[in-house]
Amino acid sequence: MKQMQFAAIIMMTLLTLKLLLLPNRLTGKNIVNRARWLMAAGISLLDVQFILQYKLELRAMGVTQAVMVNILMFIPCSALLSIAIQHLQRQGRIGFWDRWIGLVAWVGAAALMAGAIVYDGQPLLADTPERHSAQVGAALCYFAMQCYYTYRSLINLHAMSRAMHNYYDRDMDGILRWMKYSIIFLAVLAIMAPLLIFRWGMLLAVYSILAFGCIFYFVDSFCSYVVSSAPAKVEEAEKSEEEEESESTKVQEKTEEISENMQRVEKAVAKWKEKGGHLKSGLKLPSAAEGIGVPQYLLSTWLRTKGMKYNEWMTDLRIEEAKNMLLSNREWSNEYIAQRCGFNDRSYFQRKFKERTGISPADFIEHQAS
């Protein structure tokens, strides 16, 4: 166990340094920088926890002493990591309870353990039934806090994904995948903590290895995310959605006027499709609205009336065009058709074609020929 604790100290120190040493030119934005510092603070607390465990040999004293330090460090660490994610998700606009629920959980856990110490009257590091019961309650505070953060983070993630789907002409979920996995990892660690941190031996070792792997993935993915163009793409999509909603609320129209506008969009879209406007690659929602000749919010409203997201609509239009090309130009390669239809690459085209039709492009040709 001591070897594992020492390895954890080295790992947490290196991860903290990695966060702190990210170039300012890549993390210059206040939101990203704040998320970085929050995450560095959380990882540093884990580092301190492992140092205390290693130096004081708390596990050798008994489970209760080690768990006391674990919980008091796990709660603020997990809260800081969760708030760091929410800073990225909400562009720094953190709600009151999102900001302070971690402190509430920590105070509750500390109060339970302090109450047990006062009640039994034993030395600080004594192992008593009262303290064990208090620590079970403290572990449940940790679990409840993380349930709240998981719920809130998943809602925010869904909003981010929706904004991306309504702005870009292809799936962009890949740049948010690390965030989804990190949220799930933090939730799993919180669920397992009350069950395993009171144990000793193989189960605890497996939990520790899993926790190390999750934390490493979390920090490494965060660093890769912030130094890429992904934050700018997310911000662009979310800003567009906010402007669009603001524009929509300003326009108070009568039912017949809405109907007229939807008919206008329908006709404009038909002309745009005839000219092949939908076959241009990398076509964002504002560019498509400009090409069609209607305001962006009207195009979005029209899509909502059809129950479709922008990228789904664009994909369906391009798949229909690809079907025609496959049948009329059977000598063309999938890569060439993908380019002609506005798909970024062949593999993405093939994947989307199969999702929409249930068969591959080659099978589609064969099925139509038979």
Side-chain angles (χ1 to χ4, degrees):
M1 182 58 67
K2 289 213 61 169
Q3 291 86 346
M4 187 172 291
Q5 290 170 349
F6 181 75
I9 292 170
I10 299 299
M11 179 179 173
M12 298 306 153
T13 301
L14 292 175
L15 290 177
T16 302
L17 288 173
K18 182 172 185 176
L19 287 165
L20 295 178
L21 295 176
L22 283 173
N24 283 331
R25 64 184 175 81
L26 298 175
T27 60
K29 293 199 64 174
N30 288 336
I31 294 167
V32 173
N33 234 355
R34 203 174 301 130
R36 173 177 67 153
W37 283 105
L38 285 166
M39 195 170 292
I43 300 301
S44 296
L45 283 177
L46 269 188
D47 203 3
V48 171
Q49 186 267 146
F50 284 117
I51 291 171
L52 290 174
Q53 295 280 0
Y54 183 79
K55 289 291 186 181
L56 301 178
E57 298 184 347
L58 296 179
R59 279 283 166 183
M61 296 181 186
V63 172
T64 299
Q65 294 85 347
V67 170
M68 183 185 300
V69 174
N70 282 344
I71 294 177
L72 290 179
M73 293 295 185
F74 281 0
I75 290 176
C77 168
S78 191
L80 287 168
L81 297 182
S82 297
I83 294 172
I85 288 181
Q86 292 203 25
H87 261 285
L88 295 178
Q89 293 178 325
R90 300 283 299 159
Q91 297 296 313
R93 299 186 295 270
I94 306 297
F96 177 83
W97 282 111
D98 296 338
R99 191 183 302 274
W100 297 111
I101 194 70
L103 179 60
V104 171
W106 187 87
V107 169
L112 284 172
M113 289 189 278
I117 291 171
V118 172
Y119 177 79
D120 62 35
Q122 298 298 313
L124 180 62
L125 295 178
D127 193 349
T128 68
E130 291 82 5
R131 296 186 190 187
H132 186 273
S133 298
Q135 287 166 1
V136 171
L140 292 176
C141 287
Y142 168 40
F143 171 72
M145 176 203 75
Q146 199 55 49
C147 284
Y148 172 84
Y149 276 128
T150 300
Y151 172 72
R152 293 288 296 165
S153 296
L154 288 176
I155 288 178
N156 293 336
L157 185 63
H158 177 72
M160 292 176 75
S161 180
R162 183 193 63 226
M164 302 283 277
H165 284 197
N166 285 326
Y167 188 76
Y168 293 100
D169 64 344
R170 60 169 289 159
D171 291 345
M172 303 291 284
D173 289 339
I175 65 176
L176 300 177
R177 192 169 294 124
W178 75 273
M179 197 176 289
K180 177 181 177 181
Y181 291 158
S182 296
I183 294 167
I184 293 171
F185 289 158
L186 288 175
V188 169
L189 293 179
I191 292 170
M192 294 175 66
L195 301 175
L196 296 180
I197 60 176
F198 295 98
R199 298 188 178 271
W200 182 272
M202 184 59 68
L203 282 176
L204 181 62
V206 171
Y207 174 76
S208 300
I209 293 171
L210 176 64
F212 298 162
C214 291
I215 295 300
F216 177 83
Y217 173 82
F218 192 0
V219 174
D220 188 64
S221 298
F222 169 83
C223 293
S224 299
Y225 176 80
V226 299
V227 301
S228 70
S229 60
K233 290 179 179 178
V234 173
E235 184 180 5
E236 185 180 1
E238 291 183 334
K239 185 178 179 181
S240 174
E241 186 174 57
E242 289 174 2
E243 291 174 351
E244 179 188 310
E245 289 176 357
S246 175
E247 188 69 28
S248 296
T249 55
K250 289 178 184 177
V251 182
Q252 301 296 327
E253 298 174 310
K254 297 179 182 179
T255 305
E256 57 269 20
E257 291 175 337
I258 295 175
S259 178
E260 288 175 4
N261 276 326
M262 294 303 98
Q263 291 176 13
R264 171 191 162 200
V265 174
E266 191 86 42
K267 293 177 181 177
V269 166
K271 292 180 180 178
W272 178 69
K273 285 164 57 181
E274 288 176 5
K275 297 177 181 178
H278 59 296
L279 302 181
K280 182 180 178 181
S281 179
L283 199 61
K284 299 174 185 177
L285 176 63
S287 301
E290 184 180 355
I292 293 169
V294 298
Q296 179 180 325
Y297 80 92
L298 271 185
L299 178 59
S300 293
T301 302
W302 179 74
L303 287 170
R304 282 197 295 271
T305 63
K306 293 182 172 295
M308 297 188 71
K309 295 182 175 66
Y310 173 67
N311 73 345
E312 294 173 348
W313 176 59
M314 289 297 297
T315 298
D316 286 344
L317 291 179
R318 290 166 175 172
I319 290 296
E320 288 303 312
E321 189 70 31
K323 288 179 181 178
N324 295 330
M325 289 187 183
L326 285 167
L327 295 178
S328 58
N329 302 278
R330 302 193 177 193
E331 71 282 3
W332 287 1
S333 66
N334 284 347
E335 185 170 358
Y336 184 66
I337 289 177
Q339 292 174 355
R340 288 287 299 266
C341 293
F343 291 98
N344 285 34
D345 54 64
R346 176 179 55 81
S347 60
Y348 182 72
F349 160 61
Q350 291 175 328
R351 176 162 61 85
K352 284 300 173 183
F353 192 94
K354 191 164 186 178
E355 283 180 11
R356 292 299 195 273
T357 64
I359 55 177
S360 68
D363 291 338
F364 173 79
I365 294 174
E366 184 178 341
H367 178 73
Q368 293 297 317
S370 59

